[in-house]
Amino acid sequence: THIRQWLQENQKKHRTTKIDNNKMWRSIIFWWCLLFCFKGCTNKIMKALLAFEDLDYDGSAGSEPWNVNSGIWHTIKREMIEPGRKFKELTICFRTYSLAFNELGFYGGFNLEDGEPMTIETNGYTEPILKAMSVSLEAPSENPFDIMGWFWASRMGHDETKNEWSFFRKSKQGMNAQEWHHTCMVYSVPKKTTGIVFNGEILANRNQSDAWATTEDNFYTSFAFEPFHKVTLDDGNEYKRGMRILEHGPLMGYFTDFQIWDQTLSYEEMVGITTCQSFPEGSLLPWNIDDWVLLNTSHSDKVRRVDVDSNLFCPKLSKYLYFPGKNAATFETIQQFCQMFGGEVVNTTTKEQVKDTLGFFSDLWANQNWPKDRDQMGMFLTIWNDNEMEGNWTHVDASEPPPDIIWHLIEPNGEKGENCLQYTLVVANKGTENEKISSLVGRDYSCKGERAILCENTRKFIGTLYGLCKVTSFDTNFIMSQKPSGIDDGSEIRRFFAGNFGWELAWDNDQKYWKLATKATNDTYATQADTTYPLGRKEWSVFNDKCNTRGGMEVMFLTFSPCRENEFTCDSGNCVPMEMRCDQKEDCKDVSDEKNCLIVFVDPQKYLKDKPPPALAGEEKTEVKVRVDLLQILTLSVVEMKITTKYNLYLEWVDPRIIFYNLKENKNLNGLVQAELEKMWIPKIIFANTQSNKFSNVDEKSIGIVTRKGTYTQSTVDEKENIYKFKGDSNPILVSRVYETEWICEYDMRWYPFDTQWCTMQFKTTEDLGIFVNLTADSHLYSGPMELTQYFVRGTRLYMQKTENDLFSVVFEVALGRRLTATFLTAFLPTILLNIIGHATNYFKTFFFEAVVTVNLTVMLVLTTMFINISSSLPVTSYVKMIDLWLIFNLILPFCEVLLHTYKDMLRDEGREVNHHGRIRKFDADGNEIDEDAEVEVTDSNQVEPIKIVESANGGFDLNLISRQEDTQVKALQDYYSNVKTIRVKRLELLDTMGHVIIPRIALTFVALFWTIGLTKYSNPDVTVDLVLDFITSPLAIVGGIVTVIFVPLFKCCYSRCCKR
């Protein structure tokens, strides 16, 4: 096109310039020759078979498409190879173009088959050969855009039970009608491989070791085939049948370039062939349409031979996509419109970009498939505007520089009424033989109304119509035509969409709506009244379809989606990645991606909420995993034997009866709403060691999450949108709720304050549910403070425990230890100090007997008070606690001290007088008080005889013993006790030894033993009472204690006396 324009411009220039005409024409001839040479090198015209071009296939070949009398099979009519030739390798390639798929959904490529069982005899050994093989291109009914390549190879020609079918995976590209598809198949015996390459994609490179065992196992080691055998047709003629093309289906479209090689082409070579990079001829059978003959001549009117241009085999996707007419999009929706087709609005900022756009329209102008009246062609709206300031053209993207606009002669002239930039083609010599595009100029237009749009960097359009039922008569998959449809004035020109089975979705200019119809019937059709393009979720009127439950016309909401399988279709028709569906962000302009975000789907007719899900394969019961996160220990009541905790209870299980929609990798985005939780079965858990056996519940505080672990399948076209479906048996449900529960905790206070308490939270199912459900311990966590008011948290664990009815419960256990510092300061230290004070009275002077008794009695009183206070703060138990032993022992010490000093004082004199508050009291040797006034009869009860104090000089009481002068009193007491006579000196010395040595040693031994046992238990909570008692009551321990505490001091005392003597 550019060369042609250059020649035309030079012709005009040379008419007015004196130049050598011969030189000019030589240049013209050179360039034209170069043009034709280039075109001839790149364009290859091939002969092709075109079948059912009017799409009038009536299904006559559908009942038995393999029947030679009912199909459009073609077989080769010349001898391709000599009979009995043996092959080791084979490669076959061909190209097809389907105008529309037939009702079977597939069409045959080729088939190699021998008419009778055949073997090859080599050196006296009969070798089985390949019976047949074929390749068919299949479009599965549930998704016609997929291809399934396969071939069939018989291991033994006469044994159908040993056929080897090789299926190949679906193509990622898909298989569409009205597009060229290129297929190569390779078969190699030495390499033991088969493979198919489709449109440049290697579908399989498979090792068929099972199909190529040794001949001893009746498997093939090589293959060969007779190219044809005789078949008697309806006209009485005989043709040899063996290799056939267009066997199954049939194909409604083009078939060409069928090549066979007797060697294995590399996958690189086959990729080159199937991507139109090369067109080699087959070494065994090159494509020659004259070599093939139609077997059934009754269908000769359905097949004809045509020329096809090889440039059409692999068309390149244009950078630009043009939507002509006045009703494509508005200025507000222009960006959204191009995004629906995977592109963006054309950028015309620079002159180079405008020039590139002009070249696109020049090629479009030369395309005769476009409307002849082209007044509207070349007009397209941009996203430049001067709304803010007249004449200051700005882009929606503020980062774009000002445009370099070549304005039309009289533009811009709209002032404030026309604020949007539109480009228009300028055509010179319009309507004449010399008409051509001269330039692309800008005009200012009103921003109101819809305009033609030019998009760039779009992707190939493959549309799917969602929402019809599975048995619908309509096509549900479409491609967009490369040419528009409409009337010649250009006002209503629209692109249309072609289905794979002959249905077309096109604009009906008379009725002013989009119409989905086919030539096969006039009764069944659907309409959509959108004035632009019917993409997105819209209201359709469906007439006489199989999906119409009431017959006639039915209004349906259908989604015509241009999106890929990994994308979600917004209601507007735009596409967003499926991972953005329901991700708490508004990715669609209409926010439709955040609507209808329910995850759980259950069959309301079959799903029973009150019944637990069935067990998975290989399991007897449904497993429910229990996880406990202890958030906080709220209260600890030792006296009431209770503990109150705040915790999060997690229950995880799978339910095969549920289907989950659009699960995300991030499980936090798979949250369940209350309505979903209410329609699901959720295990009911009993809190066993609570006072009233509380249950778990599901309410607004419950949180449900689904964890994505399994793979998904995609929704079918009978659903209104693209959905990822996940099976419930591989994607677990996790329901959690925070509880505050008061638990019964059996505090064991025997070791107080060295105790460690194990408080438990026991979870179990009801007995009837336990038949079908098994609770298992999963994991646990404690996230609360480690230091509590009375205890600290030693640790936690989660374990399973068997109940009395042979069911399993899950137990969360928290170990609580006690800090000894506070108890030591408030209980142990005061008692130690008090007993030290009490013991210190052993070292008082002998004449301070009253002080000794007073101090020890005071110590006992204080210790008793402490005993009562500590006991009242602890629960009442039937057993003795460690703290009780300590306090009782500490009470015994001052008690023994008082007895010891009293006995010592008694031993000092048989009879003596005691000063009792200034009064002399006499006692006999037995300790009985002598009442000298017992016989005195008091006559006057109102008069009390005063106490008479007799001085010591007169044989009475020494007044210095009660002197107010401390020194005098002490001297008098010292003199008094020094004069006391006693005859029990040895007994007193023994008592002194007991007070100074034995009692302290007993006390120290007790303290050491007490703290050793206590700290051992404290540091090793698993130590039991039995172990301690076994140690304490062992004979060795008892003998050692007696010897240490009693006999050693006595031995020392006796030894010291002997030494003194």
Side-chain angles (χ1 to χ4, degrees), residues 845-851 901 904-909 912-915 958 961 969-982 988:
K845 302 299 181 180
T846 54
F847 47 81
F848 285 132
F849 171 73
E850 293 183 14
H901 287 287
K904 286 170 61 178
D905 196 66
M906 183 194 68
L907 293 177
R908 290 190 177 98
D909 196 2
R912 56 194 173 88
E913 297 176 348
V914 177
N915 174 33
D958 188 357
L961 293 174
Q969 184 187 25
V970 170
K971 183 65 170 64
L973 290 172
Q974 188 175 11
D975 294 338
Y976 173 78
Y977 277 97
S978 62
N979 296 323
V980 173
K981 298 178 181 180
T982 180
L988 284 174

Side-chain angles (χ1 to χ4, degrees), residues 2 6 499 795 976:
H2 292 297
W6 179 84
Y976 173 78

